[in-house]
RNA sequence: GCUCCCGUAGCCCAAUCGGCAGAGGCAGCGACCUUAAAAGUCGCUCAGUGCGGGUUCGAAUCCCGCCGGGAGCACCA
């Protein structure tokens, strides 16, 4: 044993030992009496080696998992790879190989780095989503949705990334740009597969109630906003002439959240790019409309999203009839109305909607105030009055407050059969088709006779054809379409020649169910073993970045609910608690190659060691906050580890009989264990580390200038330190454990038992204030009662001096820590 | 523009219920140790909690208004 702390030697010593011991196997024995706990880190995408972000996230997850192991739980802490996706495909094109080659090399590299990083995972459960044994079940999941009517193929204007050459789901378009590559997204009219997540909108909202308190509030808010529930009404507008006389065709339906403002509608707008606009335009107006539509189509999504650009539109030559007052409203086409929200058409109430007012002012249309809010006239100010108020000039609604007027308007419409209460959502169905190679093929066969025929389950997986290099070059249609042999297949239904679907699934489908697969990763009969899932799920603690606040987490919640409705799982929410760790940044900015402010994880580990890097991550601050690498000190972390390690080296006490040790050191040890435990369970890992540091300092003093290294309390303290430190610094802790004479692994030692008797302090300090100012400190027993405490406080000489003969007007007593004496005011 | 979160020492951050503003670390200074340096050990300096009000016996903590920083949403009818 070397006399000095030697990081390299310690790492080299223990890594092979752990490899041998496999300390983190989860037990699948149903009779195992230990409480079960499922700690899950969002699985990595294999893009090269691990980076600082992985190091942080997995350091956090590891604290939780290792703590549960030490507490004696049967812990499931798995890892795998989210290994389908575009980067592999792009690399394969450049290198002239199959994406699997690049993918597997990167996974091997990352796995090796994870081993060295000493994360506490059950390596026997690893899998990759690109393995046929896995994607077979992704395809099964798709078919499960298909059979329930939740997967359907339909034509629609979809988001198209010209750079990735594929369509994107709504969630994958951020401010008009591709979430992956940042290219400006355009629209295409395509027939694509959708999963009907909108069927679950209400449940996705409602079930967030059970996540409150254990998920970050901001993630819940983001999901709530994304789902975007609106309550209001559908209102039918009959087509009419300019006098309000009903003509053939129609009606046209709109959604509104303010049916109470129906009497204020002065015109009507249809999204220019909605089919309805082209259908309604009159021959006289067709030329103007066509010009306008072309202009709208030229504008990119990014331009359209600029909120304050001027309103434009054209008259369609048609009128609709206001169902309540019979007036004729001119119909316009405009691009401020969205084709795919609500019905793609609106009734315009310029007095009480800013967008409508802007449009009305641009085209010189009338403004009618129908809600009195106390604010000035919108027609003059240009500011719509959107607040609630009292209905005016609104026929039977007049005089009603907004809430009542809304109800009354809906009743009125329902009575006449021209409207009904309704709820709409911002959430759209999940577009899952991708025109790329490296994903799970959609298991559908298109038969000229039978239509869309699901691949029989016995024929799964539909394997990817072996394509590589330039065969994968994106051409706007799936590369699978060029694999003629693969493509042609007999219809499972009628046996006639048919073709496979050539698209692959969004990789977010792969990751929407992987947490179920970890329970029975080798099962070749089913996607997951329901009994095993019942034992392990829901996930006790999920750890991952906030960038998945909507995407992955929403999809996973959705598919879990689908599986629950299939009777395959018994819960609706897969992740009971969520921790969003922050990012590692440098000098206030996200690390990026182009900015040249990268910190290389491998270099940091080489310079300071695995433990110091992990400790730096965990100690830097609250886990959910970003870590600026310029603000932290891995060398300081390494110094601390060395200090702690030397304690173990210096202990000379024989094992056993801690109760004969120094009492105050024992109190410090037990108090620290209790506080560390509290900090860990509260996810305040930085505080837990600080408490351990404090104890290390205390023990150093005990060895050098206190009871000395032979005192049993010193051994007890150092053993506790080794165990607690193993959460963050497994190598150092293992070496300390070994120096104390224990066999590895420290990770499976027992969390130190706290002796409650040692937490009770014999004496506490009571502060005595006079008129809020501290005048004295008393040493009192912790169980002191009010009477005794006030007696002692008033008897104190300093207090007497401060009172200066004044009487006591009021006594505030909070035993045992505080007495506040309010003197009588001399009048 | 709307909503939410956060402002504590030179820096990163603690402070269960409203009860002594400071646990831990970084940086700095000093002493000891050392042939010397590094390492190590010990000690010290440093804020009254962004600003202004309010509630309270008592506010970093609760309320209101500003200032600064961050995040989310942003034609969703």
């Amino acid at each position: 044993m070397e006399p000095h702390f030697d990081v390299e030697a310690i790492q080299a010593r223990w890594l092979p030992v752990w490899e041998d011991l496999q300390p983190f196997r989860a037990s699948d024995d149903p009779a195992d009496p230990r409480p079960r706990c499922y700690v899950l880190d969002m699985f990595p995408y294999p893009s090269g080696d691990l980076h600082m972000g992985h190091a942080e996230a997995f350091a956090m997850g590891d604290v939780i998992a290792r703590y549960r192991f030490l507490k004696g739980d049967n812990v499931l802490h798995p890892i795998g790879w989210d290994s389908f996706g575009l980067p592999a495909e792009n690399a394969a094109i450049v290198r002239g190989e199959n994406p699997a080659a690049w993918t597997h090399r990167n996974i091997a590299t990352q796995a090796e780095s994870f081993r060295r990083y000493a994360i506490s995972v059950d390596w026997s459960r690893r899998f990759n989503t690109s393995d046929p044994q896995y994607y077979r079940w992704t395809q099964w999941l798709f078919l499960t949705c298909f059979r329930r009517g939740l997967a359907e193929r339909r034509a629609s204007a979809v988001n198209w990334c010209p750079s990735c050459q594929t369509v994107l789901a709504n969630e994958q378009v951020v401010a008009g740009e591709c979430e992956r590559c940042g290219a400006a997204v355009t629209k295409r009219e395509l027939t694509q597969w959708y999963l009907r997540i909108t069927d679950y909108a209400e449940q996705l909202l409602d079930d967030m109630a059970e996540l409150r308190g254990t998920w970050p509030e901001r993630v819940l808010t983001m999901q709530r906003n994304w789902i975007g529930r609106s309550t209001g009404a559908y209102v039918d507008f009959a087509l009419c002439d300019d006098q309000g006389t009903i003509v053939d065709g129609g009606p046209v339906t709109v959604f509104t959240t303010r049916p109470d403002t129906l009497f204020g509608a002065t015109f009507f707008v249809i999204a220019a790019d909605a089919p309805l606009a082209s259908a309604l335009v009159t021959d006289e107006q067709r030329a103007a409309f066509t010009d306008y539509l072309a202009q709208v189509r030229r504008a990119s999504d990014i331009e359209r999203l600029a909120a304050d650009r001027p309103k434009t539109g054209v008259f369609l030559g048609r009128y609709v009839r206001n169902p309540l007052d019979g007036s004729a409203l001119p119909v316009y086409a405009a691009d401020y109305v969205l084709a795919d929200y609500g019905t793609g058409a609106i009734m315009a109430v310029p007095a009480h909607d800013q967008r409508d007012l802007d449009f009305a002012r641009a085209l010189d249309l009338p403004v009618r105030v129908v809600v009195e809010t106390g604010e000035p006239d919108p027609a003059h100010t240009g500011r719509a009055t959107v607040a609630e108020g009292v209905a005016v000039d609104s026929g039977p609604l007049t005089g009603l407050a907004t809430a009542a007027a809304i109800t009354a308007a809906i009743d009125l419409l329902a009575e006449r059969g021209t409207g009904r209460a309704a709820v709409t959502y911002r959430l759209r169905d999940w577009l899952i088709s991708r025109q790329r190679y490296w994903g799970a093929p959609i298991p559908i066969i298109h038969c000229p006779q039978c239509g869309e025929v699901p691949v029989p389950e016995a024929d799964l997986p539909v394997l990817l054809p072996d394509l590589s290099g330039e065969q994968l070059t994106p051409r706007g249609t799936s590369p699978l379409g060029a694999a003629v042999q693969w493509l042609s297949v007999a219809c499972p239904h009628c046996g006639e020649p048919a073709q496979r679907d050539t698209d692959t699934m969004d990789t977010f489908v792969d990751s929407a169910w992987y947490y179920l697969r970890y329970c029975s990763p080798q099962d070749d009969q089913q996607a997951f073993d329901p009994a095993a899932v019942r034992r392990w799920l829901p996930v006790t603690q999920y750890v991952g970045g906030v960038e998945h606040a909507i995407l992955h987490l929403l999809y996973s919640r959705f598919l879990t609910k689908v599986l629950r409705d299939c009777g395959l799982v018994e819960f609706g929410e897969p992740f009971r608690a969520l921790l969003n760790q922050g990012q590692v940044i440098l000098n206030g900015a996200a690390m990026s190659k182009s900015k040249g402010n990268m910190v290389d994880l491998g270099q940091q580990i080489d310079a300071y060691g695995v433990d110091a890097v992990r400790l730096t991550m965990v100690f830097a601050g609250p886990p959910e906050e970003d870590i600026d690498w310029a603000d932290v000190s891995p060398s300081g972390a390494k110094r601390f580890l060395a200090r702690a390690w030397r304690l173990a080296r210096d202990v000379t006490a024989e094992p056993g009989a801690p109760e004969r040790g120094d009492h105050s050191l024992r109190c410090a040890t037990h108090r620290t264990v209790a506080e560390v435990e509290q900090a860990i369970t509260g996810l305040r890992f930085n505080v837990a580390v600080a408490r351990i540091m404090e104890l290390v300092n205390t023990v150093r003093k005990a060895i050098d200038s206190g009871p000395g290294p032979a005192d049993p309390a010193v051994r007890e303290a150092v053993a506790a330190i080794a165990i607690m430190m193993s959460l963050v610094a497994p190598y150092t802790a293992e070496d300390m454990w070994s120096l104390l004479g224990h066999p590895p692994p420290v990770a499976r030692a027992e969390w130190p038992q706290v002796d409650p008797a040692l937490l009770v302090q014999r004496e506490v300090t009571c502060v005595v204030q006079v008129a809020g100012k501290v005048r004295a400190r008393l040493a009192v027993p912790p169980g002191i009662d009010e009477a005794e405490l006030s007696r002692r406080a008033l008897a104190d000489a300093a207090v007497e001096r401060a009172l200066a003969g004044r009487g006591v007007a009021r006594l505030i007593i909070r035993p045992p820590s505080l007495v506040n004496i309010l003197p009588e005011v001399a009048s």
Side-chain angles (χ1 to χ4, degrees):
Chain A
M1 205 62 67
E2 61 286 332
H4 299 293
F5 182 65
D6 181 340
V7 172
E8 291 294 332
I10 290 172
Q11 288 181 186
R13 183 177 309 136
W14 297 113
L15 188 54
V17 173
W18 296 335
E19 208 78 349
D20 202 42
L21 293 172
Q22 292 289 325
F24 305 114
R25 288 283 182 94
S27 162
D28 257 322
D29 178 1
D32 195 313
R34 295 174 294 167
R36 289 188 194 82
C37 173
Y38 188 173
V39 180
L40 184 65
D41 307 280
M42 287 185 186
F43 65 165
Y45 178 81
S47 57
D49 204 348
L50 300 187
H51 51 68
M52 299 298 278
H54 293 118
E56 190 200 356
F58 283 88
M60 300 301 174
D62 226 39
V63 171
I64 300 165
R66 285 175 176 271
Y67 173 70
R68 299 309 327 175
F69 276 113
L70 289 168
K71 288 297 281 184
D73 285 6
N74 183 11
V75 181
L76 176 59
H77 186 210
I79 189 161
W81 275 269
D82 186 17
S83 54
F84 268 140
L86 269 183
E89 198 167 337
N90 293 335
I93 293 166
V94 173
R95 292 155 179 271
E97 58 187 18
N98 183 276
W102 183 87
T103 302
H104 289 144
R105 280 197 302 273
N106 284 344
I107 290 173
T109 304
Q110 289 195 350
E112 198 40 51
S113 296
F114 273 131
R115 281 215 162 82
R116 185 162 84 123
Y117 202 59
I119 58 169
S120 59
V121 296
D122 181 346
W123 285 102
S124 71
R125 291 172 187 262
R126 67 188 276 198
F127 58 74
N128 310 316
T129 59
S130 59
D131 294 341
Q133 298 84 342
Y134 183 88
Y135 73 72
R136 165 184 184 172
W137 300 112
T138 306
Q139 291 170 334
W140 166 86
L141 186 64
F142 173 89
L143 293 177
T144 301
C145 290
F146 182 79
R147 263 183 236 107
R148 292 184 72 85
L150 290 170
E152 62 183 26
R153 201 161 165 261
R154 57 172 187 257
S156 171
V158 298
N159 301 303
W160 174 262
C161 175
S163 159
C164 298
Q165 292 275 301
T166 183
V167 298
L168 299 171
N170 246 325
E171 291 78 15
Q172 290 152 31
V173 180
V174 179
E177 293 177 351
C178 172
E179 174 249 349
R180 264 224 114 73
C181 70
V185 169
T186 60
K187 293 276 181 196
R188 280 200 175 184
E189 188 72 24
L190 288 172
T191 301
Q192 302 279 302
W193 284 100
Y194 291 83
L195 295 185
R196 296 180 54 100
I197 191 171
T198 51
D199 286 8
Y200 283 82
E202 196 68 50
Q203 286 184 46
L204 287 166
L205 273 179
D206 291 347
D207 290 355
M208 285 196 292
E210 58 186 274
L211 305 176
R212 188 158 305 129
T214 53
W215 277 41
E217 195 54 46
R218 105 182 133 133
V219 172
L220 296 178
T221 304
M222 285 166 74
Q223 293 217 355
R224 203 173 296 118
N225 290 342
W226 187 260
I227 295 167
R229 186 181 198 267
S230 296
T231 58
Y234 286 122
V235 184
D236 303 325
F237 286 74
L239 291 170
C240 66
D241 62 20
D242 60 358
Q243 300 304 306
T245 307
I246 293 180
V247 300
D248 286 347
V252 184
T253 303
V254 301
F255 176 74
T256 177
T257 56
R258 293 292 298 272
D260 62 309
T261 62
L262 206 41
F263 287 89
T266 56
F267 57 100
F268 196 93
V269 188
I270 298 172
D273 52 346
L276 185 63
S278 322
L280 284 185
V281 65
T282 57
D283 290 339
E284 300 84 71
Q285 292 298 314
R286 187 166 299 279
F289 169 72
T290 309
D291 282 354
Y292 180 70
L293 184 58
Q295 178 196 320
V296 168
R297 288 245 155 99
R298 269 198 305 276
S300 71
D301 261 31
I302 297 171
E303 286 166 322
R304 282 194 64 165
L305 284 168
D308 49 358
R309 74 199 181 98
K311 296 277 184 288
T312 57
V314 291
F315 181 49
L316 291 179
R318 304 293 293 252
Y319 296 84
V320 293
R321 190 171 184 275
N322 185 324
L324 290 193
D325 68 6
S327 61
L329 307 178
V331 179
Y332 290 81
D335 67 353
Y336 82 93
V337 172
L338 305 176
D340 54 0
Y341 182 78
T343 63
I346 62 155
M347 62 176 207
V349 185
H352 308 297
D353 183 288
Q354 190 61 47
R355 297 153 299 181
D356 296 344
L357 182 59
D358 293 343
F359 189 84
R361 286 161 72 93
L363 278 79
D364 203 22
L365 297 163
V367 177
R368 274 194 72 190
V369 173
V370 290
V371 182
E372 182 48 57
T373 64
E375 296 161 276
D377 186 350
H380 299 307
T381 61
R383 290 182 65 89
T385 58
V386 298
E388 300 199 351
V390 176
V392 293
D393 296 330
S394 296
L397 306 180
T398 303
L400 294 175
T402 297
I406 289 173
T407 313
I410 292 173
D411 289 347
L412 212 52
L413 290 164
E415 233 166 72
R416 301 182 186 187
T418 54
R420 63 222 76 97
V423 176
T424 61
Y425 300 91
R426 207 186 87 119
L427 181 70
R428 312 289 155 77
D429 279 333
W430 177 13
L431 196 173
I432 58 156
S433 306
R434 294 294 179 273
Q435 288 72 48
R436 295 297 299 242
Y437 171 78
W438 194 230
I442 292 174
I444 291 287
I445 290 164
H446 299 281
C447 171
Q449 307 302 319
C450 315
E452 292 154 359
V453 182
V455 173
E457 269 189 38
D459 294 348
L460 295 181
V462 177
L463 290 171
L464 283 167
D466 188 12
L467 302 180
S468 61
E470 62 184 28
Q471 290 174 298
L472 305 175
T473 307
R475 294 175 179 87
T477 58
S478 176
L480 295 183
V484 182
Q485 290 281 307
W486 178 87
L487 195 63
S488 310
V489 64
C491 170
H493 219 223
C494 67
E496 293 298 306
Q499 289 204 325
R500 293 193 184 282
D501 198 289
T502 58
D503 286 347
T504 53
M505 279 184 253
D506 182 2
T507 56
F508 279 106
V509 182
D510 308 333
S511 56
W513 72 280
Y514 76 109
Y515 46 90
L516 298 168
R517 184 68 182 169
Y518 282 132
C519 299
S520 53
Q522 271 91 37
D523 197 327
D524 59 1
Q525 299 300 308
Q526 50 195 342
F528 51 87
D529 173 2
V533 165
R534 200 174 306 127
R535 285 197 294 274
W536 290 114
L537 274 98
V539 171
T540 317
Q541 179 69 59
Y542 200 22
V543 180
V546 73
E547 65 273 17
H548 289 114
I550 296 173
L551 295 153
H552 161 64
L553 291 170
L554 193 65
Y555 298 147
S556 298
R557 296 181 60 220
F558 160 54
L559 284 173
T560 296
K561 291 176 200 306
V562 173
L563 291 170
R564 178 203 54 200
D565 291 349
C566 294
L568 293 167
V569 304
E570 291 169 340
F571 47 89
E573 288 295 335
F575 313 121
R576 193 161 277 155
L578 174 67
L579 171 64
N580 283 141
Q581 90 284 353
Q583 290 190 297
V584 184
I585 60 176
L586 187 61
N587 295 317
M591 292 187 194
S592 81
K593 273 184 194 144
S594 56
K595 284 187 201 146
N597 65 338
M598 297 289 288
V599 176
D600 184 81
L601 176 61
Q603 283 171 13
Q604 296 292 309
I605 290 175
D606 290 344
Y608 306 105
V610 167
D611 285 356
V613 170
R614 292 173 56 129
L615 177 62
T616 303
M617 298 283 186
V618 172
F619 183 56
E624 59 278 4
E625 238 134 82
D626 288 349
I627 299 170
D628 196 325
W629 207 249
D631 289 336
V632 297
S633 171
S635 63
K638 187 179 173 182
R639 270 203 303 279
F640 165 73
L641 293 172
R643 242 178 36 225
W645 181 88
R646 283 194 301 271
L647 298 179
R649 184 200 60 187
D650 294 347
V651 169
T652 57
E654 291 302 316
E659 62 283 353
R660 290 213 298 271
D662 180 76
H663 184 261
S664 79
L665 179 57
R666 296 203 70 210
C667 288
T669 302
H670 285 252
R671 200 178 325 116
T672 301
V673 171
E675 286 176 355
V676 166
E677 201 154 353
Q678 212 159 35
I680 299 284
T681 51
L683 306 180
R684 286 146 51 237
F685 308 140
N686 54 324
V687 180
V689 171
R691 291 283 108 83
I692 298 171
M693 288 175 165
E694 205 177 351
L695 184 59
V696 166
N697 293 343
T698 304
V699 177
R700 184 75 259 164
K701 278 177 202 154
I703 290 176
D704 291 349
S705 53
D711 191 288
V714 169
R715 167 172 276 275
E716 181 188 37
V718 177
I721 289 169
I723 293 169
M724 292 189 289
M725 273 179 56
S726 76
L727 304 180
V728 182
Y731 288 102
T732 308
E734 192 73 84
D735 219 57
M736 291 174 71
W737 195 237
S738 157
L739 285 168
L740 292 174
H742 299 288
V746 65
R748 300 310 294 266
E750 199 182 319
W751 185 262
Q753 282 282 335
V754 174
D755 180 351
L758 291 170
L759 295 182
V760 182
Q761 286 164 303
R762 288 171 182 177
E763 240 174 31
V764 297
T765 304
C766 175
V767 171
V768 185
Q769 301 176 332
V770 176
K773 286 206 170 83
V774 180
R775 297 297 186 185
R777 289 164 215 274
L778 308 173
V780 300
I784 193 166
D785 64 26
E786 288 196 17
E788 174 64 12
L789 188 58
S790 66
R791 195 190 60 75
R792 289 202 203 179
L794 290 166
D796 186 88
V799 170
E800 218 167 310
R801 224 174 304 127
L803 277 173
R806 289 173 293 177
V808 174
R810 200 174 149 194
L811 266 178
I812 293 118
I813 308 167
R814 295 284 177 275
S817 57
L818 181 126
V819 176
N820 191 4
I821 303 164
L822 302 182
E824 276 168 353
V825 184
S827 51

